[in-house]
Amino acid sequence: MTSHNSVTRSTKMGPEERIAALAKLKDKELDILVVGGGIVGAGAALDAVTRGLSVGILEARDWASGTSSRSSKLVHGGIRYLEQLDFRLVREALTERGLLLQRIAPHLVKPVRFLYPLKKRFTERFYIGAGMLLYDIFSYTGGRPPGVPHHRHLSKSQVQKLIPSLANDALVGGITYYDAQVDDARYVSSLVRTASFYGAHAASRVRVEGFIKVGERVVGVRAHDLQTDEHFDVRAKQVVNATGVWTDDTQRMVGERGTFKVRASKGVHLVVPRDRFQSAMGLLLRTEKSVLFVIPWGRHWLIGTTDTDWHLDKAHPAATAADIDYILEHINEVLSVPLTREDVEGVYAGLRPLLAGESDQTSKLSREHLVGHSVPGLVVIAGGKWTTYRIMAKDAVDAAASALDGCIPASATQDIPLLGAEGYQAAWNKRGKIARAFGLHTVRVEHLLNRYGTLTDELLDLIKANPALAEPLPGADDYIGAEVVYAASHEGALHLEDVLARRTRISIEAWDRGVSAAPVAAALMADVLGWDQGRIDREVGFYLTRVAAERASQEEPNDESADRVRLEAPDIVVTN
């Protein structure tokens, strides 16, 4: 539908749309304002706007720039929660997995196969096999097929054929099972765009610096546009605090004691080239604290994660040399040819927002979520896991809607696909014809379809108008120039880092972490965002400083020294 329609608006979320969204946020009182542009905040914005409510969403940095872009990139029930007897969480997450795979985002969420290596012949096979059977049964309880095959038992020789790189003494057999994976940052940007499409007013790089209260009631926020340095108020009947690991900090702005406490747990992942070891599937390994995943990721492996308390800078959690060595040590226990630091092409660290409890270990803290009306007019949502974001968003909006006048419709997001999802399978079936029509390799079209779904048409239009945009970026052959232009024109990317770290994953996938791609990408963004050469140079300079600081922090022995080194690279702030 075109932008003049009252039901939906443009699929674009570019500079002009940001200006229009800010104007609406300043002009009128909203039904619901969401603070926080991660997976839960974006989900809450879509949930609220598709109930017919007027909605705004603000993010202090880029969409998904916190926890939501630094996960294990899995959509899963959580095998380890079965052992903790948290059956309700596993069942709920598996139901959501099936929904995301088959209805909401089939272009973004894909099945992935894992092997659990067995080290004991009988007892372990029975114990783990029983857990896998329960996992499969739970996946059928959501009213639809699970969307993935069930588990299988394999002999040692069968495992060795599928994963030749495993050490001979690392197993006596194995069990394979399926979960799903997703580009987490891309999913969040698609979720925000979908909310915007249905009428939500979305603006990133706008920091909430305080709450407006009338008596004890929260009636809005004091906002600071970091792009223009403008300060303004946004009024809303209900405010939803969906700030993840920043929940306690946001609650302190209200001047009230928080309803519950959130602890940050750091998880580190390594990115390793796919050719470093041969395997037809991923791995799930036990560690003394938790589990370690080896996840196929395009031409790479993701290996992680760690699980340790973090009390330092929340915006830029830093991986240490000790974190990297811990992961390498555990993966090397099962590989015939060990990995070394020289094999690591990328590293990233993220923070899980865990509900604080009695346990001293973050791996034992709850992945459940809680919703609270801490003060009138303010709903807080905290805890949870990436996979169950839609349920968390629904619960938060239910709480906010209960305080609004009138009869508010129930959540509809179980039936609302993300932009690009409708018609994806038909487009996939035509990928060969599409490739021939535009003179592209079929693999390139597959890459685009699995990132943009049927919105790939919009990128192909860019290429048709300027064939040079079909060229790959330097040092990052998986990505083309059109994706950079599209990120700035349609996906709300305002800075070079937004494109290299989140709209694409060049910052963790490229050997040079995007250093060679940076000047080319910045020049492409400049045409959309109106940058002059001075601004291009500044964006590139900030990005290169960030890469250098991250590399240096990963040589440090502990969190404190790594945090200090990482913070030597400041965040870019632009005042027009």
Side-chain angles (χ1 to χ4, degrees):
M1 296 185 184
T2 55
S3 58
H4 65 266
N5 286 97
S6 58
V7 178
T8 60
R9 299 188 307 196
S10 168
T11 63
K12 285 184 70 176
M13 203 169 69
E16 293 177 2
E17 287 73 23
R18 181 179 185 274
I19 292 170
L22 287 169
K24 291 289 188 182
L25 289 167
K26 297 170 193 174
D27 270 358
K28 65 176 194 175
E29 183 187 41
L30 303 167
D31 291 323
I32 291 180
L33 174 67
V34 181
V35 180
I39 184 68
V40 177
L46 179 61
D47 188 289
V49 77
T50 51
R51 296 188 195 211
L53 300 171
S54 60
V55 178
I57 177 171
L58 299 176
E59 163 57 41
R61 296 186 296 150
D62 183 29
W63 308 114
S65 58
T67 300
S68 297
S69 61
R70 305 177 193 178
S71 72
S72 293
K73 312 192 189 322
L74 291 176
V75 175
H76 64 137
I79 287 281
R80 69 188 176 106
Y81 302 122
L82 286 177
E83 204 164 32
Q84 297 172 10
L85 304 181
D86 199 343
F87 298 142
R88 192 196 66 78
L89 177 62
V90 174
R91 180 185 176 278
E92 182 178 81
L94 287 173
T95 299
E96 291 301 300
R97 184 193 71 181
L99 196 58
L100 268 58
L101 271 168
Q102 299 171 84
R103 175 68 180 133
I104 293 177
H107 59 307
L108 298 176
V109 182
K110 304 293 180 181
V112 59
R113 190 182 185 191
F114 288 100
L115 174 88
Y116 184 97
L118 299 171
K119 297 187 178 181
K120 298 175 183 175
R121 290 191 181 278
F122 302 110
T123 55
E124 189 180 24
R125 186 179 287 278
F126 176 78
Y127 178 69
I128 300 300
M132 296 292 186
L133 177 61
L134 193 58
Y135 203 64
D136 286 344
I137 291 171
F138 280 156
S139 70
Y140 279 92
T141 59
R144 67 176 65 237
V148 297
H150 56 73
H151 80 283
R152 285 186 57 206
H153 287 258
L154 300 180
S155 66
K156 181 175 181 177
S157 62
Q158 287 174 313
V159 171
Q160 288 174 325
K161 286 179 183 177
L162 290 167
I163 312 179
S165 294
L166 285 182
N168 189 55
D169 61 353
L171 74 161
V172 297
I175 301 177
T176 66
Y177 76 99
Y178 280 82
D179 259 321
Q181 65 181 166
V182 66
D183 183 333
D184 47 8
R186 170 144 298 283
Y187 191 101
V188 174
S189 66
S190 298
L191 192 56
V192 175
R193 282 183 70 194
T194 305
S196 174
F197 174 69
Y198 283 104
H201 310 300
S204 63
R205 304 286 176 180
V206 178
R207 186 168 63 211
V208 170
E209 297 185 340
F211 289 88
I212 304 168
K213 295 176 77 175
V214 174
E216 292 300 308
R217 184 177 189 80
V218 170
V219 296
V221 303
R222 304 203 183 283
H224 180 190
D225 185 347
L226 300 178
Q227 294 294 107
T228 64
D229 203 31
E230 180 187 4
H231 293 260
F232 59 94
D233 293 346
V234 181
R235 300 276 174 169
K237 296 171 186 172
Q238 291 285 307
V239 177
V240 175
N241 175 7
T243 50
V245 293
W246 286 272
T247 298
D248 294 354
D249 305 270
T250 314
Q251 287 296 94
R252 278 193 286 273
M253 290 186 201
V254 187
E256 301 284 341
R257 187 173 176 272
T259 308
F260 28 76
K261 295 291 183 183
V262 173
R263 268 172 72 180
S265 166
K266 183 177 73 167
V268 174
H269 291 80
L270 309 184
V271 185
V272 173
R274 194 70 177 266
D275 62 6
R276 289 305 185 266
F277 59 90
Q278 289 181 279
S279 176
M281 64 190 75
L283 295 170
L284 170 63
L285 308 174
R286 274 186 183 274
T287 69
E288 66 277 9
K289 293 180 180 178
S290 183
V291 294
L292 188 79
F293 284 101
V294 181
I295 305 163
W297 183 255
R299 296 196 287 177
H300 317 270
W301 296 103
L302 302 181
I303 308 175
T305 179
T306 60
D307 202 337
T308 56
D309 255 336
W310 179 261
H311 301 289
L312 302 167
D313 181 69
K314 295 186 181 79
H316 306 291
T320 66
D323 292 326
I324 295 169
D325 290 342
Y326 171 88
I327 294 172
L328 289 174
E329 176 188 341
H330 280 82
I331 184 61
N332 285 338
E333 289 176 1
V334 300
L335 295 181
S336 56
V337 179
L339 298 174
T340 68
R341 286 288 291 263
E342 285 66 43
D343 295 312
V344 177
E345 56 187 340
V347 182
Y348 66 94
L351 300 178
R352 305 175 192 86
L354 304 180
L355 292 173
E358 300 294 325
S359 175
D360 291 331
Q361 290 183 296
T362 56
S363 60
K364 299 282 181 67
L365 295 181
S366 176
R367 297 311 299 273
E368 299 277 1
H369 69 271
L370 290 176
V371 177
H373 244 124
S374 56
V375 295
L378 178 65
V379 172
V380 183
I381 174 78
K385 60 200 296 278
W386 203 102
T387 302
T388 57
Y389 85 87
R390 196 189 64 81
I391 300 296
M392 296 172 66
K394 170 188 171 297
D395 290 349
V397 177
D398 281 346
S402 69
L404 295 174
D405 296 332
C407 183
I408 309 300
S411 174
T413 52
Q414 73 274 9
D415 296 315
I416 296 176
L418 299 193
L419 293 178
E422 288 287 10
Y424 163 72
Q425 191 57 56
W428 180 259
N429 293 341
K430 293 195 301 181
R431 63 194 184 279
K433 290 182 179 178
I434 295 169
R436 288 190 294 274
F438 285 87
L440 300 173
H441 195 285
T442 303
V443 172
R444 182 70 72 193
V445 173
E446 290 175 349
H447 163 87
L448 294 175
L449 287 171
N450 284 332
R451 290 173 56 73
Y452 305 94
T454 51
L455 295 181
T456 295
D457 284 349
E458 297 178 348
L459 285 99
L460 294 175
D461 287 343
L462 292 175
I463 293 170
K464 188 175 182 180
N466 181 4
L469 293 178
E471 293 299 314
L473 297 173
D477 291 349
D478 287 341
Y479 301 96
I480 59 176
E483 295 182 78
V484 176
V485 172
Y486 191 77
S489 64
H490 285 69
E491 297 183 323
L494 298 173
H495 294 285
L496 178 61
E497 177 193 334
D498 301 348
V499 171
L500 297 183
R502 286 172 291 277
R503 302 307 182 279
T504 71
R505 308 321 294 266
I506 291 170
S507 68
I508 60 171
E509 293 175 354
W511 276 108
D512 68 356
R513 306 199 184 180
V515 169
S516 57
V520 175
L524 290 169
M525 294 181 72
D527 292 339
V528 179
L529 300 177
W531 295 348
D532 59 17
Q533 189 58 49
R535 176 65 184 275
I536 292 173
D537 294 343
R538 189 158 179 252
E539 290 280 341
V540 173
F542 266 92
Y543 184 77
L544 299 188
T545 302
R546 168 201 150 137
V547 170
E550 285 184 346
R551 284 188 180 277
S553 70
Q554 291 154 16
E555 300 295 331
E556 295 297 317
N558 56 54
D559 285 348
E560 289 73 20
S561 58
D563 180 67
R564 185 174 62 253
V565 170
R566 174 62 184 87
L567 291 181
E568 290 175 2
D571 282 339
I572 190 165
V573 178
V574 176
T575 301
N576 294 327

